Amino acid sequence: DPKIIQKPKYLVAVTGSEKILICEQYLGHNAMYWYRQSAKKPLEFMFSYSYQKLMDNQTASSRFQPQSSKKNHLDLQITALKPDDSATYFCASSQESWGAVYAEQFFGPGTRLTVL
Amino acid sequence: GMPVEQNPPALSLYEGADSGLRCNFSTTMKSVQWFQQNHRGRLITLFYLAQGTKENGRLKSTFNSKERYSTLHIKDAQLEDSGTYFCAAEDNYAQGLTFGLGTRVSVFP
């Protein structure tokens, strides 16, 4: 059974539209992340959430907004889509413990977004 | 320079050969993960290290935080080892992983 579900697997959108990428994890983790992999850039960290609160935001554009409705959900809303947003978006999760320094991150299968 | 420098960018191996990949870090990292990305784009975790060395079958990885590097060694390469390998490290300030640019490994019969 997949432990981290990302939906949809593939997504095609038109420039200027808005899409939501879904991520659910069933590992019981308290921290979740979004990463992006495009043809032009290496895998890059976007956001991290811990206990449903934003911890780190490395995305310059406000068009990208994470949404956490439940502890094991972290969706990514992207507005005013541009062709440069075309990429595979990976969700990840980890178990962060107070006082613990290290935590392995587990990655979902990704959503491949193409903006025309 | 890049926070995570990964070498080589590409590696061609014959079946049965041994080889290694290396990541150098510009700053002290607290942990490193190695991934294989398959032809479907899926990221498969190979190792997670906070220090020292781990082995799993024909793969072995070492992380030296003080010396700022990590290595991945492939022994007796098989066709299924083909793919792109990434190291990714976590520093002391951010929760997100910083990835290297990857090493494209091709194994030939």
Side-chain angles (χ1 to χ4, degrees), chain B residues 34-38 42-44 46 80-85:
Chain B
W34 283 92
F35 300 88
Q36 180 192 29
Q37 188 166 39
N38 62 20
R42 188 75 185 258
L43 284 168
I44 301 163
L46 300 174
E80 61 263 29
D81 295 333
S82 294
T84 301
Y85 290 75

Side-chain angles (χ1 to χ4, degrees), chain A residues 37-88:
Chain A
Q37 183 180 33
S38 67
K40 298 178 182 179
K41 294 182 181 180
L43 266 156
E44 54 181 350
F45 166 67
M46 300 177 72
F47 299 97
S48 67
Y49 266 63
S50 181
Y51 292 100
Q52 295 184 265
K53 292 184 179 179
L54 179 66
M55 299 301 290
D56 195 0
N57 178 356
Q58 295 294 322
T59 303
S61 174
S62 59
R63 296 186 298 106
F64 294 83
Q65 291 292 327
Q67 299 171 343
S68 181
S69 59
K70 299 179 184 179
K71 179 185 171 185
N72 67 326
H73 283 227
L74 185 65
D75 300 335
L76 181 63
Q77 179 185 41
I78 313 174
T79 58
L81 279 161
K82 303 176 179 180
D84 274 354
D85 297 331
S86 297
T88 299

